[in-house]
Amino acid sequence: MNSRVPLVSATDAPAGSRALLDAVHGAFATTPNMFRVVANSPAALQAMWGFFGALGGGAIPARLGEQIAVAVADRNGCDYCLAAHTALGRKAGASAAEMSAAQAGESADPATAAALRFALELIGQRGQVGDADVAALRAAGFGDGQIVEILAQVALNLFTNYVNIAFATPVDFPAVKLRSAA
């Protein structure tokens, strides 16, 4: 399947996207197709890359961020993000079994399980969570900053899921089978 918008490279991208695509390439040793799609808009690429960078330096460990990403991707039916974040989760130290469980919104670790439940509740309720949902995260050991970052991880992954689903971005990571139908 072809992408619904062009996959641009650092040589044919708008001028405002070229340096960012070089940074993406430097981080991944390749330029994933998702970034090549988003690079059609320098503003969108700057927003996405900045969002990844900011959360990468946050209080939520990369492993948990990737587990949240696969849960969100599976819930939204995003093949691209499921494949990408499964690979990134493995690089962040999660086992294949942990990533598969996260895809279903599950974890043997109580804190991770609480974060995944909250992430999926945010999606299912379109942000309309209640006091008990936030209290469950606090009870699992998350502080207020971490709770905000869990929501930010969900928001970033909604952005990337929608990009890849809407524009039919060709998957360039090892494929992972979706568990749920979007």
Side-chain angles (χ1 to χ4, degrees), residues 17 20 35 37-50 159 163:
S17 292
L20 289 171
F35 293 103
V37 165
V38 176
N40 282 281
S41 165
L45 182 59
Q46 182 178 5
M48 182 180 282
W49 190 241
F159 180 16
V163 162

Side-chain angles (χ1 to χ4, degrees), residues 6-172:
L7 298 173
V8 298
S9 69
T11 58
D12 62 1
S17 292
R18 293 177 186 161
L20 289 171
L21 281 175
D22 287 343
V24 168
H25 189 87
F28 288 96
T30 187
T31 306
N33 285 340
M34 177 183 72
F35 293 103
R36 295 180 62 203
V37 165
V38 176
N40 282 281
S41 165
L45 182 59
Q46 182 178 5
M48 182 180 282
W49 190 241
F51 209 164
F52 274 113
L55 290 179
I60 296 295
R63 179 175 168 163
L64 177 55
E66 299 303 340
Q67 289 170 300
I68 291 167
V70 297
V72 172
D74 195 80
R75 178 63 55 94
N76 287 325
C78 184
D79 290 310
Y80 190 95
C81 289
L82 180 59
H85 291 289
T86 296
L88 293 169
R90 299 281 289 135
K91 282 187 174 183
S95 70
E98 287 171 323
M99 292 309 292
S100 180
Q103 184 181 343
E106 301 169 357
S107 176
D109 174 65
T112 300
L116 295 174
R117 275 192 304 276
F118 183 74
L120 294 177
E121 188 70 13
L122 281 168
I123 294 167
Q125 298 303 315
R126 297 183 186 169
Q128 301 291 323
V129 297
D131 293 343
D133 298 305
V134 175
L137 286 174
R138 286 192 181 107
F142 292 103
D144 292 339
Q146 294 169 311
I147 293 169
V148 172
E149 283 185 29
I150 292 168
L151 184 139
Q153 288 281 352
V154 171
L156 172 56
N157 284 285
L158 288 173
F159 180 16
T160 63
N161 287 185
Y162 290 179
V163 162
N164 294 307
I165 293 167
F167 299 141
T169 306
V171 178
D172 53 352

